[in-house]
Amino acid sequence: MGKKAEKLSQIQNAFAPSPLISNEEQKEFYENTSLARTGDQYSNVVESLFLQLSDSTEVVQHKLFIGHPGCGKTTELYQLLQKVKENEFAAILGRCDLELDSADVEYTDVLFLILDLLVQLAKENKIELDDELVNSIYDYWRQDLEITESSCEHSEMAVVGDMQAKLGVAGLLKILSQIKGIIKNGSDSRMQIRQHIEPRSSELVNRIQQVIEQISKQCEEKQMKKTPLVILDGLDKIPLEQARKIFRENGSRFGVLNIHLIVTFPIALTYTPEYSDIQTWFPNPEKLPMIKLRKWENGGYVSDYQEGTKTMTQMVSKRADLNLFEEDVLQRLIKDTGGYIRDLFRCISRAAVRARSRKAETISMDDAEMALHNLESDINGRYSEDMIPIMKRIYDGEKYVSSSDGITKLLQVGAVLEYNGERWCDLHPLVEKWLKSHGKI
């Protein structure tokens, strides 16, 4: 992430589509969006999660964290991570979208990643795992290492010898890193590993539990919170059928883990019958709604509602000098992207490139309109003609929609956006514009 943009050549760095990870980035660029998202200044998702974790001294919290991809969930989770670490939690965040193959994820992959993260957590907090446990984990993966040795051509995938297991946590992390690389990158080997793990998944859960027990005991000895926290980001991006298998069919595998566990979850699945079953293992989910630019009450939009636009403007002002936008340009970009942070940043970046191509020093309305047109074409190519009747009902005032395959698909592709976290949905402004211009609504 770059510094605040004072000229157009700095826009790409300042509006990169990446979360705010470091403390420095959080301090410089983070904007509290709670009021614009929920209508309640006290409904701050980070503070809510922190208080729940802090108060749960005798129970564990297993929670789904729900929101549209690109709405700011990862940034909020990194802020939570920073806050809990400052308050004596042993905590770690794993990016499933980076560590695993997002297009092909099974529950066994997720269990493995939790084990890997816990061992990393032990190393970060100078916690030792006893030799017996380290060797038992190595023995669990030994056959998988042998299976993959013959199918891997690259030298870095060569089997790690028995001596590696004698190196404690550091040696174990090297072994797990090897397995992780295979699970992410080697499709054939990945299938072999899964076939080997599946009948032994209970044993894997048992090994994870043993690691948790040793971490918890040493956390107490270090005057830290005894229950470690694992945050899994990126599972909201996986295909819905795989998410169903992980969270519904195999949710019990995670339910028995004696850790605080927060996982991102596809918002589209909250509009399916399976959602209530999933909450058996992940009760009391947290939502991060979109920043709403229009407020819907009593069957109509509230006039002169400005909180969302104000928040988005403030967010942009932390990343760029507002004089880089000609009059009304930023307001147009905000309005037409519907409170969707990712879409706004994408359009600002594209508009800045067009302005630079013109040798201009500011972004004009023409630059903005070209960027919005590009995004409009993209979004309106994501859904099929048979989805239009559902969108027409939403446009006509049926904002509080019920579960259906149609709304699930529209939420998944971002053509329909949920606001307030209470099933109030609206059309993405560029979808509404396209449907109107083509006489569909």
Side-chain angles (χ1 to χ4, degrees):
M1 182 69 65
K3 295 181 179 180
K4 180 174 178 177
E6 303 292 342
K7 51 187 179 180
L8 292 183
S9 61
Q10 298 170 333
I11 287 286
Q12 303 306 315
N13 290 331
F15 290 89
S18 54
L20 303 178
I21 296 176
S22 70
N23 293 354
E24 292 75 17
E25 289 174 339
Q26 294 272 352
K27 289 176 182 177
E28 186 168 358
F29 297 118
Y30 182 77
E31 176 72 14
N32 187 340
T33 59
S34 302
L35 183 59
R37 291 184 190 272
T38 67
D40 177 14
Q41 62 178 321
Y42 298 109
S43 294
N44 182 297
V45 68
V46 171
E47 186 67 16
S48 173
L49 285 167
F50 172 70
L51 291 174
Q52 291 176 68
L53 293 167
S54 298
D55 292 349
S56 299
T57 56
E58 303 298 330
V59 296
V60 296
Q61 292 284 345
H62 287 184
K63 300 185 79 67
L64 304 175
F65 189 43
I66 301 165
H68 288 276
C71 74
K73 293 191 302 301
T74 303
T75 290
E76 298 291 337
L77 288 174
Y78 272 109
Q79 188 169 77
L80 175 65
L81 182 68
Q82 176 185 335
K83 189 175 182 68
V84 296
K85 283 186 172 182
E86 290 171 351
N87 286 271
E88 307 303 325
F89 277 86
I92 192 165
L93 186 151
R95 296 285 301 275
C96 298
D97 51 335
L98 302 180
E99 301 285 355
L100 303 174
D101 181 353
S102 294
D104 181 14
V105 180
E106 297 287 348
Y107 81 94
T108 50
D109 304 338
V110 180
L111 284 173
F112 165 79
L113 185 57
I114 291 174
L115 173 62
D116 181 56
L117 290 168
L118 286 167
V119 178
Q120 290 183 49
L121 184 67
K123 182 181 180 183
E124 287 178 8
N125 290 274
K126 298 181 179 178
I127 291 171
E128 283 299 327
L129 306 177
D130 65 43
D131 290 343
E132 183 178 353
L133 177 56
V134 169
N135 284 321
S136 71
I137 295 172
Y138 174 68
D139 287 341
Y140 180 89
W141 295 106
R142 183 193 301 271
Q143 186 174 343
D144 296 311
L145 291 167
E146 292 170 351
I147 286 172
T148 57
E149 182 186 25
S150 60
S151 60
C152 292
E153 298 177 359
H154 304 294
S155 60
E156 64 265 27
M157 290 298 184
V159 116
V160 181
D162 285 0
M163 288 300 294
Q164 194 74 61
K166 300 182 185 299
L167 299 179
V169 169
L172 184 56
L173 280 174
K174 291 181 180 179
I175 294 168
L176 295 177
S177 177
Q178 179 180 342
I179 295 290
K180 185 163 56 178
I182 295 166
I183 289 175
K184 180 179 180 180
N185 301 311
S187 57
D188 292 338
S189 299
R190 180 194 307 151
M191 291 303 299
Q192 292 182 66
I193 289 176
R194 286 175 179 168
Q195 291 168 6
H196 189 220
I197 294 174
E198 177 63 37
R200 302 186 302 144
S201 58
S202 296
E203 184 182 347
L204 175 57
V205 170
N206 184 53
R207 293 289 180 273
I208 295 172
Q209 289 281 49
Q210 290 175 303
V211 172
I212 294 169
E213 289 172 8
Q214 294 196 14
I215 290 176
S216 297
K217 180 180 178 181
Q218 292 179 60
C219 280
E220 282 193 287
E221 293 171 354
K222 292 173 177 286
Q223 304 301 309
M224 300 173 67
K225 300 290 192 298
K226 72 174 183 180
T227 305
L229 166 64
V230 173
I231 302 172
L232 295 180
D233 187 28
L235 285 175
D236 55 316
K237 300 179 177 70
I238 66 176
L240 295 189
E241 282 308 310
Q242 292 186 328
R244 286 184 173 97
K245 291 179 182 178
I246 291 170
F247 291 104
R248 186 192 183 196
E249 297 177 20
N250 295 285
S252 61
R253 306 286 186 177
F254 307 99
V256 299
L257 299 179
N258 197 29
I259 53 172
H260 298 311
L261 181 62
I262 298 174
V263 297
T264 56
F265 182 79
I267 192 170
L269 277 188
T270 68
Y271 285 80
T272 65
E274 296 97 327
Y275 185 46
S276 60
D277 296 334
I278 291 166
Q279 289 185 64
T280 301
W281 311 113
F282 294 90
N284 304 316
E286 292 284 342
K287 280 192 176 184
L288 187 69
M290 301 296 294
I291 296 172
K292 60 179 181 289
L293 304 183
R294 297 189 289 187
K295 188 175 182 180
W296 182 266
E297 283 184 356
N298 302 318
Y301 293 111
V302 175
S303 61
D304 299 323
Y305 176 74
Q306 295 296 323
E307 187 61 44
T309 300
K310 176 183 174 183
T311 297
M312 297 292 279
T313 302
Q314 184 63 24
M315 186 180 296
V316 172
S317 74
K318 289 190 173 183
R319 294 174 180 253
D321 185 337
L322 296 186
N323 289 320
L324 293 176
F325 300 88
E326 295 180 9
E327 186 177 0
D328 296 330
V329 169
L330 180 57
Q331 286 67 33
R332 172 68 179 278
L333 287 167
I334 290 172
K335 175 178 175 290
D336 281 9
T337 50
Y340 207 151
I341 298 171
R342 182 179 64 185
D343 283 356
L344 175 62
F345 285 12
R346 169 181 169 177
C347 286
I348 289 174
S349 296
R350 184 174 287 272
V353 169
R354 186 177 188 274
R356 294 258 293 144
S357 297
R358 297 188 297 106
K359 311 300 182 185
E361 296 182 357
T362 56
I363 297 173
S364 70
M365 190 63 77
D366 283 346
D367 298 326
E369 288 179 349
M370 288 299 295
L372 289 167
H373 178 72
N374 180 273
L375 178 60
E376 179 183 336
S377 297
D378 181 6
I379 295 176
N380 287 291
R382 300 175 191 169
Y383 57 84
S384 56
E385 187 82 12
D386 61 334
M387 297 288 103
I388 292 177
I390 300 172
M391 292 189 283
K392 184 178 187 305
R393 291 199 298 271
I394 294 173
Y395 175 74
D396 289 338
E398 195 176 314
K399 307 294 186 184
Y400 293 90
V401 297
S402 57
S403 300
S404 71
D405 289 340
I407 195 66
T408 298
K409 293 175 183 176
L410 291 169
L411 284 164
Q412 187 179 14
V413 301
V416 169
L417 307 176
E418 181 182 286
Y419 297 94
N420 270 43
E422 56 186 30
R423 296 200 169 215
W424 167 42
C425 296
D426 214 343
L427 301 182
H428 190 297
L430 294 177
V431 171
E432 182 176 316
K433 177 184 175 183
W434 188 90
L435 292 173
K436 281 182 176 179
S437 66
H438 287 77
K440 305 293 185 179
I441 57 176

